Amino acid sequence: MVVIKNVQNISVPEFLNEGFFVETIEEGLRETKITLHEINFEWGSNPGDNYCSAIYRVLVKFTRWDDGKESSKIEQLSLIVKTIPITEETRFLEDVRVFIKEKQTYTDILPRLDILTNGDRFGAKYYHSVKAPVQTIVFDDLKVDGFKLASRENCLDWAHSTLILKQLGKLHATSMVLAKKDPEIVKQYKRGMLSEETLIKSATFENMFGGFLKGLIQVSGKWPGYEKITKHLQRFSDNFKQVCVAAAKPKPNDRYVVLNHGDLWTNNFMYAYDNKAQPDVPTRAIFVDFQLSFYGSPGCDLNFFLNTSVKLELLQKRREELIQVYYKAFRDALEYARFEKIPSYEDLLWELRSRETYGIFGLFAFLPVITMPQELSKDNSIENMQDESFKQRHMEAIYSQKFLNDYHKWALKRAEELGVFNDY
């Protein structure tokens, strides 16, 4: 008999039962038969940290079979179970194939990318997935290997920012090598967060993220010297879908394309801290959540990351250095793979400038959410973000924060000086 433990008394879907976890373990470990003894459920993330999915951490205890005999050794395995319930509000996720894409990325793309590196690992180990009754995918628990999330509210310092930028440079580089070997991959990864399928067919995306833009317009209109910028933001709001689609869409003068992570903010990568002498300095980084990945300009990932996840003072003083750290890792990875015609640093700067609007989207749509205090974010969901009274209460609290105002003021002035608002 299987023992079920649920100390936190969380709501667990009925299909996450004994049969599901037997299949998961047998597939993930490539075993023909196991006996399951215990299932222990916990939340895998804080409430409000994931809009579109429910994350469970599940500890299972089991024994293996060999030559018709059950082992006497009880083993345990910690798993992360990610469910993606599709509601009317999240129907747009099916249009960008989030479940199929993430499964393909973990089972096919990442293993091939890992082989192309000098010993790097980009994502968790895949175990099992089902499409019904709820789209669900299971991975190994990266916490077991020492990984943990950085604080999303505080943004990233130099050590954390540069480590993930190095890892991103390697991911982008190896994805170029893979695309050269298998060009069909690029065709399969066309739809990202700002694709037409996401924006044009559904009102959910604009209702949710456009609300944060309206909140920024309201507050920036009160800042002296930001009158023109506020008008530019209003023009963005008036043409929200068209501007967002154009921000990510391929352009005739793109210098090169890479596999973008597609949702590169603090909760979608993890760090390990292996140096006991410097316990706060990360030594390894790994990505999670590849459901919005797409082939496109590297400027999309980079501008999104730089506008959502990095400390303001770091951007003000060392933004160019951060980009140089990324490019060195990118170039080194391509040289290791003996890739011909490596894009130049000037090519990268071109791509960054051409996708600054993508960064503006991250600035108003994600930065307020990412840096939101826990007490405000605990009831975040796509469904709640469709409710006008809920949004209004949140907007007033969010945009009353001085550090967020300072961040927006600096980033918007920078965009104005670069002429970014003339891009749309």
Side-chain angles (χ1 to χ4, degrees):
M1 181 178 175
V2 178
V3 176
I4 308 294
K5 292 185 178 180
N6 187 348
V7 177
Q8 297 176 339
N9 198 28
I10 64 179
S11 176
V12 178
E14 289 185 8
F15 75 93
L16 296 182
N17 53 29
E18 177 183 353
F20 177 88
F21 286 105
V22 167
E23 288 186 23
T24 295
I25 298 167
E26 288 177 350
E27 179 181 352
L29 298 182
R30 294 175 174 81
E31 293 287 339
T32 55
K33 184 178 180 180
I34 65 100
T35 297
L36 189 60
H37 297 286
E38 183 177 298
I39 309 173
N40 193 336
F41 291 97
E42 295 179 3
W43 281 123
S45 63
N46 294 319
D49 280 356
N50 299 88
Y51 280 98
C52 306
S53 56
I55 310 292
Y56 306 92
R57 173 168 286 104
V58 184
L59 183 68
V60 293
K61 294 183 179 179
F62 64 97
T63 48
R64 307 187 195 222
W65 286 70
D66 187 31
D67 292 332
K69 295 180 181 180
E70 182 178 0
S71 171
S72 59
K73 179 185 177 183
I74 295 180
E75 301 179 51
Q76 68 178 29
L77 189 64
S78 188
L79 302 169
I80 294 295
V81 180
K82 175 180 177 181
T83 64
I84 312 170
I86 300 299
T87 64
E88 199 58 43
E89 288 80 9
T90 60
R91 185 70 54 189
F92 69 92
L93 294 172
E94 288 197 326
D95 293 328
V96 291
R97 302 172 66 247
V98 295
F99 175 73
I100 297 299
K101 182 189 294 181
E102 187 157 38
K103 179 179 178 180
Q104 179 181 355
T105 302
Y106 277 100
T107 59
D108 179 36
I109 306 301
L110 294 185
R112 287 201 273 173
L113 293 184
D114 290 347
I115 292 172
L116 295 170
T117 72
N118 187 16
D120 285 287
R121 177 188 176 200
F122 293 120
K125 170 182 166 59
Y126 166 91
Y127 269 79
H128 181 56
S129 61
V130 294
K131 194 170 185 180
V134 178
Q135 296 181 353
T136 302
I137 189 165
V138 186
F139 318 98
D140 67 334
D141 184 359
L142 291 169
K143 282 193 173 182
V144 174
D145 196 25
F147 288 98
K148 62 181 179 179
L149 293 172
S151 169
R152 63 169 175 79
E153 299 103 315
N154 296 330
C155 293
L156 303 175
D157 60 14
W158 173 262
H160 288 80
S161 297
T162 52
L163 186 58
I164 202 63
L165 283 169
K166 290 175 184 178
Q167 197 73 352
L168 182 66
K170 297 171 187 177
L171 176 71
H172 284 177
T174 51
S175 75
M176 288 181 65
V177 178
L178 180 61
K180 185 176 180 181
K181 295 177 179 291
D182 186 359
E184 290 297 313
I185 293 293
V186 179
K187 299 177 184 177
Q188 296 169 17
Y189 281 79
K190 288 184 176 180
R191 302 172 182 176
M193 183 187 300
L194 299 187
S195 68
E196 291 187 43
E197 289 78 9
T198 308
L199 286 148
I200 304 302
K201 294 182 181 180
S202 170
T204 301
F205 199 90
E206 183 174 4
N207 288 343
M208 183 176 176
F209 295 116
F212 286 101
L213 177 54
K214 290 175 182 176
L216 179 56
I217 290 169
Q218 286 182 358
V219 71
S220 68
K222 301 173 184 176
W223 298 336
Y226 284 77
E227 294 80 9
K228 287 185 178 179
I229 289 176
T230 300
K231 289 180 180 178
H232 288 310
L233 293 175
Q234 184 61 57
R235 189 162 48 84
F236 194 137
S237 181
D238 293 340
N239 302 279
F240 184 84
K241 291 182 178 179
Q242 293 81 357
V243 176
C244 285
V245 169
K249 202 169 186 177
K251 298 180 180 181
N253 57 358
D254 282 342
R255 300 287 178 91
Y256 62 102
V257 299
V258 300
L259 180 66
N260 282 261
H261 176 278
D263 196 8
L264 197 66
W265 64 278
T266 322
N267 271 22
N268 286 335
F269 39 84
M270 301 176 75
Y271 296 97
Y273 304 80
D274 303 312
N275 186 351
K276 293 182 179 180
Q278 295 180 296
D280 298 325
V281 178
T283 53
R284 292 178 287 148
I286 198 165
F287 300 105
V288 298
D289 199 348
F290 287 89
Q291 60 188 22
L292 293 170
S293 299
F294 69 99
Y295 266 93
S297 168
C300 295
D301 260 355
L302 283 164
N303 280 312
F304 187 84
F305 172 75
L306 292 171
N307 280 278
T308 62
S309 305
V310 179
K311 286 185 179 296
L312 175 58
E313 56 267 31
L314 195 54
L315 292 174
Q316 292 170 324
K317 298 176 182 177
R318 306 182 73 177
R319 188 178 188 278
E320 187 175 352
E321 287 181 72
L322 291 171
I323 295 167
Q324 290 170 348
V325 166
Y326 161 87
Y327 180 73
K328 183 180 186 305
F330 171 77
R331 185 194 63 215
D332 289 350
L334 287 176
E335 288 178 349
Y336 177 81
R338 298 178 182 176
F339 190 82
E340 296 179 3
K341 298 181 180 178
I342 297 176
S344 67
Y345 185 65
E346 288 68 30
D347 290 330
L348 170 61
L349 295 180
W350 174 278
E351 292 298 332
L352 278 165
R353 176 60 189 86
S354 75
R355 303 295 170 164
E356 286 281 356
T357 307
Y358 202 103
I360 296 295
F361 167 77
L363 188 70
F364 71 73
F366 275 77
L367 180 65
V369 181
I370 292 168
T371 57
M372 193 184 299
Q374 288 284 351
E375 60 269 20
L376 287 178
S377 66
K378 61 184 177 181
D379 53 356
N380 280 352
S381 69
I382 285 183
E383 288 76 15
N384 281 343
M385 284 300 180
Q386 309 306 304
D387 181 82
E388 288 303 321
S389 61
F390 179 89
K391 282 196 293 187
Q392 188 59 38
R393 291 195 307 272
H394 267 53
M395 293 305 163
E396 291 173 359
I398 291 166
Y399 285 107
S400 66
Q401 300 174 100
K402 182 182 182 300
F403 89 92
L404 184 61
N405 292 164
D406 290 344
Y407 208 120
H408 279 149
K409 285 178 181 179
W410 178 82
L412 291 172
K413 277 294 185 183
R414 174 184 172 274
E416 183 181 43
E417 291 168 4
L418 285 175
V420 176
F421 299 117
N422 296 324
D423 291 356
Y424 61 85

